Amino acid sequence: MIKRYTLMKLHMIFASVVFPITVMFFITGALYILEIKPDVASEEFRIELDQPFPADAKLLKAVAAKELARRNISEPLGRYKLKWDSDLQSDYLFWDGENHWLKIRPSSSNANVAVLKLYDPGIYSRFMSLHKGNGKDSFNYFVVAMAIAMMLTLFSGVIIGISLPKLRPMVLYSMGTGTLIFFGLMFYSQFVG
């Protein structure tokens, strides 16, 4: 059995380690819920193609990379994939990255012209991207580890509270109240019109 003092130390360590990432998730989540969108600067370039716009991710990535190199702009550091634009009724390339991202689509007036739009995120946009799981794998693994540490922090806090006779009723009532509020608001928001 773990001694209460050891459990309190572990609780303090877990809480201290997860504090920064938890604050980031709380702030970005609250801003997202309040519909405060991040600012993203963008530039647009037109590219003459030797052939009609290809629906091929590798070819489009090569076109985008060549255009970026010509302008001394680094490539996005993430993955790329072909997506469908229902407004244009056409495929386009989306190339994601932590540094910036881009979309390359066909011109609406000329099939032999591609339009490359480069997006340069601000700091809030970068944090929102991390919040949505669009970081590098190393950061995403860190988030999973921090989620586990957060769960351990919550469990150790509850165990500490329950193990102290004077705090036990308050902890149990608080857990019951929190559970009722959670389920009440969940059902209300999902099932009440």
Side-chain angles (χ1 to χ4, degrees):
M1 183 81 177
I2 299 177
K3 292 184 179 180
R4 187 180 307 143
Y5 181 71
T6 304
L7 192 60
M8 289 172 66
K9 280 175 41 178
L10 288 172
H11 177 77
M12 179 195 67
I13 291 168
F14 287 143
S16 299
V17 169
V18 300
F19 180 76
I21 196 168
T22 304
V23 168
M24 186 272 293
F25 274 101
F26 287 164
I27 291 171
T28 54
L31 292 173
Y32 183 79
I33 288 170
L34 294 172
E35 296 185 11
I36 299 172
K37 306 286 186 213
D39 288 333
V40 179
S42 64
E43 300 181 72
E44 199 168 276
F45 312 110
R46 298 178 69 76
I47 306 165
E48 295 287 332
L49 301 173
D50 298 333
Q51 60 182 357
F53 188 86
D56 181 297
K58 286 185 181 180
L59 282 174
L60 289 172
K61 180 188 178 219
V63 168
K66 184 177 177 183
E67 186 66 18
L68 292 174
R70 190 173 77 76
R71 296 174 182 275
N72 291 322
I73 300 172
S74 64
E75 294 181 4
L77 297 174
R79 298 178 206 100
Y80 64 93
K81 62 183 165 186
L82 213 55
K83 291 187 168 188
W84 178 254
D85 186 322
S86 57
D87 293 335
L88 288 174
Q89 291 295 303
S90 175
D91 290 305
Y92 70 94
L93 180 83
F94 179 72
W95 191 354
D96 199 9
E98 296 80 36
N99 53 342
H100 47 246
W101 61 89
L102 65 82
K103 293 179 182 177
I104 184 168
R105 62 168 177 82
S107 167
S108 56
S109 59
N110 185 343
N112 284 32
V113 173
V115 178
L116 185 151
K117 192 163 185 179
L118 183 67
Y119 299 87
D120 189 20
I123 190 74
Y124 168 39
S125 183
R126 290 176 191 274
F127 281 125
M128 187 58 76
S129 182
L130 292 173
H131 183 111
K132 293 179 178 180
N134 295 327
K136 291 188 178 191
D137 287 343
S138 57
F139 185 83
N140 292 337
Y141 295 141
F142 174 71
V143 169
V144 171
M146 291 300 100
I148 292 167
M150 178 57 102
M151 291 303 296
L152 292 172
T153 302
L154 293 172
F155 286 130
S156 64
V158 169
I159 291 168
I160 290 168
I162 289 174
S163 70
L164 298 169
K166 288 184 178 180
L167 295 179
R168 187 176 301 130
M170 182 179 68
V171 170
L172 294 173
Y173 288 131
S174 298
M175 285 177 57
T177 302
T179 302
L180 288 174
I181 290 171
F182 168 72
F183 281 109
L185 287 174
M186 182 190 69
F187 284 117
Y188 177 76
S189 68
Q190 295 297 312
F191 300 110
V192 176

